[in-house]
Amino acid sequence: MENFYLTIALSPLIGAIIAGFFGRILGRTATHTITILGVLISTVLALMVFNYHVLEQGEVFNQNLYTWMQIGGLNISVGFLVDNLTSVMLVVVSFVSLMVHIYTIGYMHNDKDYTKFFSYISLFTFSMFMLVMSNNFMQLFFGWEAVGLVSYLLIGFWHHKESAVEANLKAFLVNRVGDFGFLLGIGLVLAFSGSLDYVEVFASLNNTIGQSLWGMDLITVICLLLFVGAMGKSAQVPLHVWLPGSMEGPTPISALIHAATMVTAGIFMVSRMSPMFEMSEVALTVVMVVGAITALFMGLLGIVQNDIKKVVAYSTLSQLGYMTVALGVSAYSVAIFHLMTHAFFKALLFLGAGSVIVAMHHEQDIRKMGGLRKKMPITYWTGLIGTLALIGFPGFSGFYSKDMIIEAVHFSSLPYADWVYYAVVAGVFITAFYSFRLFFLVFHGQSRVDSHTAQHLHESPLSITLPLIMLAIPSAIIGYFTIEPMLFTGWLDNAITVDGLKHTSMHELSKLFHGATAMISHAVQTLPFWMMVGGIASAWVFSLYKTQWADWVQSTFKRTNYVLNSLYGFDRFNEIVFVNGIKKLGNILWKVSDSMVIDSMIVNGSARFIGFVGSMVRPIQTGYVYHYAFFMIFSLLIILTWTLFMGDKPLLVI
């Protein structure tokens, strides 16, 4: 079996190596064929793994393949842990990645670095496979850092754009902050358990009982540090600032980063570490509150964005907040369920946005669009499906997963759960408003497209529309068919640990809902449903009276509008405190350590000291023999005098 799992991981890597080193020699067609074939193999095998582990309830595979390094008694191995959680992640990552690879053929066909881009996205897929299949913290960290590295390369892929270079640097640096906390957490795991293997670590969790660090329970400190890593990768406040900037990269990588891979790594990691998080109510409360803040306040930012990709980007931030809230209330399976449904409809929305951008000759301002429905029917209908799934319209995939998150919070007994409930319910209205604001402004109303672009406006080629259709299908139906097995009949039971005595939300949900149809009938009677309807209606009114509405909002809510357009001042704060602060610290260190200590004292000071000693010695080095004879006789007299009067005391003490 190990060769089976190795093939899943290595197929994209082999494609990435061939495309990277030989792409220009092989040509474009051969390059994209090889890389797509590699991901296709992984997708087919991932479906077979899903069938074996999830549908047939096969045995969990946990095996080390070889020893990576050995430090004393610590063995760090490369190995795979494949259970139901891994199987679900493999299907999601491989399928979305396959769609992105196919989509890239049409989107990047004019790019001079076409083959290099295919190499990068295949390498990205390999990195995510290594992350989700790992059976130890070190391999997890390898995949964690690998997706970060490749995202840096892809966000700044168009390196001729200064904004792209700034964006990839921001993404890299912000993730280093999160990864620093993550690495400290891994170090503490090794300290208390003596191992980095998941099974051994979870088996030794009782060793943390009664131990404290920094005035808190040891397990709480560990979980909070691990969550700092998740905050970086999954873009939670305040480490969210890198993700909107990642829109500077080509649209295919926006879909890959935001939908199925990098940003979901933190959600997956916390779910995998559920045995640890279940031991700390403090950590779970922090996770829940941070998720609620992200879900609500990042959604508000989507309202004021006019760049089509940035609207979808802030939507990703908000939806990641929902997933994080689910983790905080111990509804790990619900978080993974929303991760899965979100991957499909968010990839669909990003790729749909890319289809519009291509048709609009890379215009991204939604205020310059309008009336594209007739010109781009496939993009329109698939975009409608993705939008309905995103807002949680009854019957679509996002409805089941998002509604379950809201209900899980409603049943939670954690501190601040009431506040979090109202935050996520308010987020339903906000999501519906900014989603349909985007949809109406792009596809409905009068055309605001310039005449030159309008003459050449048409539907995107098959390489772009085919992935849209393939992603629209699961966006519409997968929630209906998977909610019961995913949440209530044990798909994830062998991979997730929940303390049922402390956290009863899933138990209460299982009593309330007995199927997808029951959820729909229940939903239309709830506050979130009517909040969603209100959001759609408000967006429709806004699109009809856009100019008057915008003027009224700007004049009435000047301060609010300023706060939202300034992105709550996070970028400004980081610029003043961290960027300028580090510059000033660097200047101080340069002036004190480099200029004063090293240059003035050590380097130049040594030279001046030698020069001083030389200037003192030089006058007595005359070259006359009688001068040297005088000094010899004088020195001899001093030695004899010392010997006679000081006895056996040494002349010089060294």
Side-chain angles (χ1 to χ4, degrees):
M1 287 292 288
E2 64 185 62
N3 292 331
F4 193 84
Y5 300 118
L6 266 174
T7 304
I8 294 177
L10 295 182
S11 293
L13 177 62
I14 293 170
I17 293 172
I18 294 173
F21 287 102
F22 309 106
R24 294 189 182 277
I25 299 173
L26 295 172
R28 293 181 166 221
T29 303
T31 297
H32 71 234
T33 301
I34 290 169
T35 52
I36 291 173
L37 180 61
V39 179
L40 177 62
I41 291 171
S42 296
T43 305
V44 173
L45 295 181
L47 289 170
M48 295 172 65
V49 168
F50 181 84
N51 179 71
Y52 173 73
H53 285 284
V54 179
L55 301 183
E56 297 180 2
Q57 293 297 306
E59 294 183 0
V60 173
F61 178 87
N62 184 15
Q63 185 174 324
N64 293 328
L65 304 183
Y66 69 93
T67 300
W68 187 1
M69 63 183 79
Q70 188 169 2
I71 307 171
L74 176 65
N75 290 320
I76 300 176
S77 301
V78 173
F80 293 148
L81 170 62
V82 184
D83 55 11
N84 289 11
L85 176 59
T86 306
S87 302
V88 171
M89 292 297 297
L90 286 176
V91 171
V92 172
V93 172
S94 59
F95 181 77
V96 174
S97 179
L98 178 62
M99 294 301 103
V100 170
H101 276 70
I102 296 171
Y103 180 93
T104 300
I105 297 173
Y107 193 88
M108 300 291 288
H109 72 282
N110 289 326
D111 198 282
K112 63 183 180 66
D113 291 321
Y114 182 88
T115 57
K116 183 169 72 173
F117 190 82
F118 272 96
S119 175
Y120 285 173
I121 58 177
S122 289
L123 186 60
F124 201 110
T125 306
F126 158 75
S127 303
M128 194 64 187
F129 282 154
M130 292 299 289
L131 190 156
V132 301
M133 296 174 71
S134 62
N135 69 349
N136 62 82
F137 281 91
M138 187 57 70
Q139 187 176 329
L140 172 71
F141 190 69
F142 165 78
W144 194 271
E145 292 302 295
V147 294
L149 170 63
V150 184
S151 69
Y152 168 81
L153 298 173
L154 284 164
I155 294 169
F157 186 79
W158 287 329
H159 48 79
H160 57 277
K161 294 170 56 180
E162 185 177 350
S163 58
V165 175
E166 291 177 355
N168 72 349
L169 283 173
K170 180 189 282 188
F172 191 80
L173 292 173
V174 172
N175 274 278
R176 296 292 69 73
V177 175
D179 293 350
F180 178 69
F182 189 51
L183 195 57
L184 288 177
I186 293 175
L188 287 177
V189 167
L190 177 61
F192 85 78
S193 68
S195 175
L196 292 175
D197 184 89
Y198 292 159
V199 174
E200 295 178 7
V201 170
F202 296 156
S204 62
L205 284 176
N206 288 335
N207 296 341
T208 64
I209 297 176
Q211 296 192 43
S212 62
L213 182 67
W214 303 329
M216 291 188 290
D217 289 340
L218 176 61
I219 193 66
T220 298
V221 176
I222 292 172
C223 290
L224 290 177
L225 288 172
L226 293 177
F227 181 62
V228 170
M231 289 171 65
K233 277 289 181 290
S234 293
Q236 298 298 290
V237 173
L239 300 183
H240 67 283
V241 292
W242 68 270
L243 193 136
S246 67
M247 295 299 97
E248 294 295 334
T251 299
I253 195 53
S254 300
L256 199 57
I257 289 177
H258 286 236
T261 54
M262 182 170 170
V263 297
T264 61
I267 308 300
F268 166 79
M269 184 272 291
V270 175
S271 298
R272 177 64 80 194
M273 303 304 145
S274 59
M276 302 173 67
F277 279 83
E278 284 300 284
M279 298 179 66
S280 174
E281 185 175 294
V282 173
L284 289 175
T285 303
V286 170
V287 171
M288 178 187 67
V289 171
V290 169
I293 292 171
T294 305
L296 177 61
F297 291 101
M298 294 303 106
L300 286 170
L301 294 183
I303 295 174
V304 298
Q305 299 302 311
N306 294 311
D307 184 303
I308 186 170
K309 286 173 64 177
K310 286 194 174 182
V311 175
V312 186
Y314 280 105
S315 167
T316 299
L317 283 168
S318 182
Q319 297 307 304
L320 287 168
Y322 275 92
M323 297 177 211
T324 305
V325 166
L327 296 174
V329 297
S330 297
Y332 305 100
S333 56
V334 179
I336 297 299
F337 184 39
H338 194 53
L339 182 156
M340 178 188 69
T341 60
H342 175 265
F344 295 121
F345 64 70
K346 188 51 60 69
L348 172 60
L349 289 171
F350 266 116
L351 298 186
S355 177
V356 171
I357 291 169
V358 169
M360 291 288 296
H361 297 176
H362 292 273
E363 175 60 63
Q364 297 184 197
D365 192 334
I366 59 177
R367 295 170 297 183
K368 299 179 181 179
M369 300 179 188
L372 301 186
R373 174 171 54 91
K374 295 180 181 179
K375 298 286 187 178
M376 307 182 70
I378 298 176
T379 303
Y380 171 78
W381 287 108
T382 55
L384 178 60
I385 292 172
T387 302
L388 291 172
L390 169 61
I391 69 171
F393 194 85
F396 290 83
S397 295
F399 158 73
Y400 300 103
S401 54
K402 183 186 286 187
D403 212 54
M404 292 304 292
I405 292 173
I406 295 171
E407 294 295 343
V409 176
H410 180 66
F411 286 112
S412 176
S413 59
L414 286 178
Y416 310 111
D418 292 341
W419 178 88
V420 170
Y421 174 76
Y422 291 115
V424 294
V425 168
V428 174
F429 174 87
I430 295 166
T431 302
F433 179 79
Y434 68 66
S435 298
F436 269 94
R437 169 181 174 264
L438 169 67
F439 186 78
F440 289 143
L441 289 179
V442 172
F443 293 107
H444 288 271
Q446 293 183 346
S447 175
R448 298 176 297 279
V449 182
D450 66 78
S451 57
H452 175 72
T453 303
Q455 291 176 1
H456 302 89
L457 195 61
H458 58 82
E459 184 58 272
S460 299
L462 182 63
S463 59
I464 289 179
T465 56
L466 177 61
L468 296 182
I469 296 170
M470 295 298 292
L471 287 166
I473 295 171
S475 297
I477 65 173
I478 200 169
Y480 178 87
F481 289 104
T482 58
I483 179 171
E484 283 199 70
M486 181 75 82
L487 302 186
F488 304 131
T489 59
W491 268 13
L492 299 177
D493 285 353
N494 70 343
I496 286 173
T497 299
V498 178
D499 188 339
L501 297 177
K502 294 181 181 178
H503 310 294
T504 60
S505 57
M506 289 305 298
H507 177 66
E508 296 295 329
L509 289 176
S510 65
K511 292 192 299 183
L512 182 63
F513 300 115
H514 301 288
T517 305
M519 280 196 66
I520 294 176
S521 62
H522 174 268
V524 296
Q525 307 171 35
T526 61
L527 177 62
F529 173 78
W530 294 107
M531 294 287 282
M532 178 194 64
V533 172
I536 297 173
S538 299
W540 179 68
V541 172
F542 173 86
S543 65
L544 286 179
Y545 306 102
K546 185 177 73 70
T547 304
Q548 299 93 319
W549 182 292
D551 291 342
W552 180 80
V553 169
Q554 289 181 4
S555 61
T556 307
F557 301 100
K558 280 185 178 181
R559 294 186 182 277
T560 303
N561 191 58
Y562 173 78
V563 170
L564 293 179
N565 279 293
S566 64
L567 309 179
Y568 303 120
F570 278 105
D571 285 339
R572 182 64 176 158
F573 176 82
N574 291 335
E575 181 76 22
I576 294 173
V577 176
F578 294 109
V579 177
N580 292 339
I582 290 172
K583 285 181 179 178
K584 290 179 180 178
L585 178 62
N587 285 331
I588 292 172
L589 293 175
W590 162 59
K591 291 178 180 178
V592 173
S593 62
D594 282 11
S595 297
M596 293 178 59
V597 178
I598 296 175
D599 290 344
S600 298
M601 296 178 63
I602 298 177
V603 178
N604 296 331
S606 299
R608 285 194 296 269
F609 177 74
I610 297 299
F612 172 75
V613 172
S615 65
M616 297 295 292
V617 173
R618 191 181 304 116
I620 64 176
Q621 297 297 322
T622 62
Y624 295 112
V625 174
Y626 58 85
H627 285 168
Y628 295 135
F630 170 78
F631 284 115
M632 290 172 65
I633 295 170
F634 183 74
S635 299
L636 180 61
L637 288 173
I638 292 175
I639 293 171
L640 290 173
T641 302
W642 183 273
T643 303
L644 290 173
F645 291 98
M646 301 303 294
D648 56 353
K649 294 182 180 180
L651 180 61
L652 295 174
V653 179
I654 299 177

